[in-house]
């Protein structure tokens, strides 16, 4: 819990861009999770840097969040400040076949931008919900293609807000659903993405193909956080969970989706504890039956409920 003096110090720096004790269920897609001590939505880079400086000075932890499509916060809530970059939405074409997208640009906007201009290269991301920041931080993608294939450079602010750098491809260590090598607490400000002229009809058709594939294979009608586990090498987490007989299994309000066994859906009244118990049940059953240890793709943050 954040102390009174810490609250006052942050209020002085962030003013209206700061709210205290905000339920994280409001900004995570599974709609579970306890309150964040504070949530900040800095209006620009200067305000963001000032906030990071103030957090560093008072040793207040911060967590950068996109749109929470890959994040679960435990029921006890989140220490310190959750920083949301929804004001960072600039998206523009750059000479030489590039887009510069700020971290808060949503994937829907990015897809629409490419569709309208007939820009090819990013169609595979159509329907992956979230922001450019989350996409880069997660190296999000589909089996054949992921963020690392199109990200040419990432602009990063250091955890204390003191230094801004442009990291080219050689300095970015993308792995399966992760970007390694950034200091913890670094903030991705923007990314330079490679695109090429593709012809509007062709780009549109490719985007629609990706969206249709998703609509048929994912439970898009209930809150979820997408794939819960990473696919183990040469296999699919969903197949293993289904083979363990867990499709449809429930803990409280959380359920392993009947449509895709690597998705957990919130039936309306789930808690983070329900979801995490179901995750451990799936992990345990798959290990027992198939001798495969499943690793979570979803990021779990925050403190246990008291
Ligand atoms: C229905 C559904 C389908 C999905 N399909 C796919 C899919 O096909 N492929 C796939 O890869 N994923 C998929 N996902 C997961 C999710 O969409 C992606 O991981 C997405 O990139 C998350 O973006 P976000 O902005 O919501 O990130 P968040 O969940 O908010 O954050 C994810 C991580 O990134 C970090 N982060 C976010 N922004 C920044 C920033 N600016 N600077 C530093 N760190 C940051 C956060 O700290 C956190 O660790 C799906 C999710 C759902 C709900």
């Amino acid at each position: 819990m954040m102390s009174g003096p810490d609250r006052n110090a942050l209020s002085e720096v962030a003013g209206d861009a700061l709210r205290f004790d905000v339920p994280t269920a409001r900004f995570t897609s599974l709609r579970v999770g306890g309150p964040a001590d504070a949530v900040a939505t800095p209006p620009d880079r200067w305000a963001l840097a000032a906030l990071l400086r103030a957090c560093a000075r008072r040793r207040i932890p911060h967590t950068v969040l996109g749109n929470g499509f890959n994040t679960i916060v435990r029921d006890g809530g989140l220490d310190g400040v959750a920083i949301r970059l929804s004001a960072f939405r600039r998206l523009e074409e750059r000479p030489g076949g590039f887009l510069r997208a700020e971290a808060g640009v949503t994937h829907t906007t990015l897809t629409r931008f490419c569709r309208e201009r007939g820009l090819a290269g990013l169609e595979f991301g159509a329907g992956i919900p979230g922001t450019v920041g989350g996409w880069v931080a997660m190296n999000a993608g589909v089996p054949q293609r992921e963020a690392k294939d199109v990200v040419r450079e990432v602009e990063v602010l250091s955890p204390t807000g003191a230094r801004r750098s442009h990291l080219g491809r050689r300095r970015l260590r993308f792995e399966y659903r992760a970007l390694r090598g950034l200091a913890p607490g670094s903030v991705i400000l923007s990314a330079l993405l490679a695109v090429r002229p593709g012809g509007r009809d062709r780009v549109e058709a490719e985007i629609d193909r990706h969206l249709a594939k998703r609509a048929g294979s994912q439970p898009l009608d209930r809150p979820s956080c997408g794939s819960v586990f990473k696919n183990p090498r040469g296999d699919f987490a969903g197949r293993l969970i289904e083979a363990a007989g867990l499709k449809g299994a429930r803990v409280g309000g959380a359920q392993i989706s009947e449509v895709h066994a690597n998705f957990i859906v919130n039936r309306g009244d789930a808690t983070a504890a329900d979801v995490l118990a179901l995750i451990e049940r799936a992990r345990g059953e798959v290990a027992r039956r198939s001798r495969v240890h499943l690793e979570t793709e979803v990021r779990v943050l925050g403190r246990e409920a008291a």
Side-chain angles (χ1 to χ4, degrees):
M1 291 292 182
M2 201 185 290
S3 70
D6 282 349
R7 287 180 183 232
N8 293 340
L10 287 183
S11 293
E12 272 176 31
V13 174
D16 285 351
L18 194 72
R19 296 273 178 278
F20 293 107
D21 305 316
V22 182
T24 53
R26 276 195 209 150
F27 52 87
T28 53
S29 60
L30 247 172
R31 303 272 175 259
V32 298
D37 289 347
V39 174
T41 318
D44 55 40
R45 288 162 180 235
W46 293 273
L48 171 63
L51 177 68
L52 291 172
R53 261 198 315 276
C55 287
R57 211 177 299 129
R58 300 194 69 93
R59 297 183 189 282
I60 299 167
H62 71 267
T63 309
V64 191
L65 281 184
N67 280 349
F69 281 100
N70 201 62
T71 300
I72 298 173
V73 177
R74 294 188 183 90
D75 297 313
L78 195 57
D79 282 327
V81 188
I83 300 177
R84 309 200 65 214
L85 301 182
S86 36
F88 292 64
R89 293 218 171 165
R90 190 178 304 174
L91 172 59
E92 58 198 11
E93 274 192 82
R94 286 290 171 87
F98 297 108
L99 297 182
R100 167 71 64 187
E102 282 195 318
V105 170
T106 65
H107 225 102
T108 315
T109 302
L110 192 59
T111 301
R112 193 183 322 123
F113 190 90
C114 291
R115 181 194 279 271
E116 282 166 2
R117 288 170 173 74
L119 296 171
L122 308 184
E123 300 91 327
F124 72 93
I128 299 180
T131 61
V132 165
W135 190 52
V136 172
M138 291 303 303
N139 188 21
V142 293
Q144 308 75 27
R145 225 163 140 71
E146 43 195 16
K148 81 166 182 350
D149 298 315
V150 293
V151 173
R152 292 293 174 264
E153 181 201 282
V154 176
E155 185 190 9
V156 179
L157 191 59
S158 64
T160 59
R163 209 180 56 253
R164 193 167 56 92
S165 37
H166 291 260
L167 305 181
R169 292 233 300 172
R170 287 221 201 101
R171 293 176 63 194
L172 297 169
R173 283 177 34 221
F174 283 110
E175 292 176 12
Y176 175 42
R177 299 298 171 263
L179 170 59
R180 308 267 179 225
L182 300 187
S186 300
V187 183
I188 296 168
L189 292 174
S190 74
L192 192 67
L193 310 171
V195 291
R196 57 180 191 280
R200 201 170 152 162
D201 290 351
R202 285 236 302 279
V203 170
E204 258 186 26
E206 191 59 7
I207 288 172
D208 288 343
R209 189 177 70 76
H210 280 281
L211 291 175
K213 200 165 160 198
R214 248 164 223 288
S217 62
Q218 297 184 347
L220 302 180
D221 57 335
R222 285 192 194 273
S224 82
C225 56
S227 294
V228 171
F229 295 105
K230 296 179 182 176
N231 287 322
R233 196 178 286 270
D235 209 334
F236 292 97
R239 191 197 72 75
L240 291 164
I241 296 166
E242 195 172 343
L246 289 174
K247 228 176 181 183
R250 289 192 201 181
V251 173
Q255 180 176 34
I256 292 185
S257 163
E258 308 263 11
V259 180
H260 190 315
N262 198 17
F263 279 55
I264 289 178
V265 295
N266 182 349
R267 295 181 54 86
D269 56 351
T271 61
D274 293 341
V275 176
L276 295 172
L278 199 48
I279 288 177
E280 289 318 317
R281 186 171 162 205
R283 205 195 311 261
E285 293 281 323
V286 167
R288 205 170 51 78
R289 191 182 178 283
S290 308
R291 310 233 166 278
V292 175
H293 176 76
L294 292 177
E295 272 179 51
T296 40
E297 172 176 326
V298 64
R299 305 269 172 102
V300 181
L301 308 174
R303 48 195 182 230
E304 305 282 354

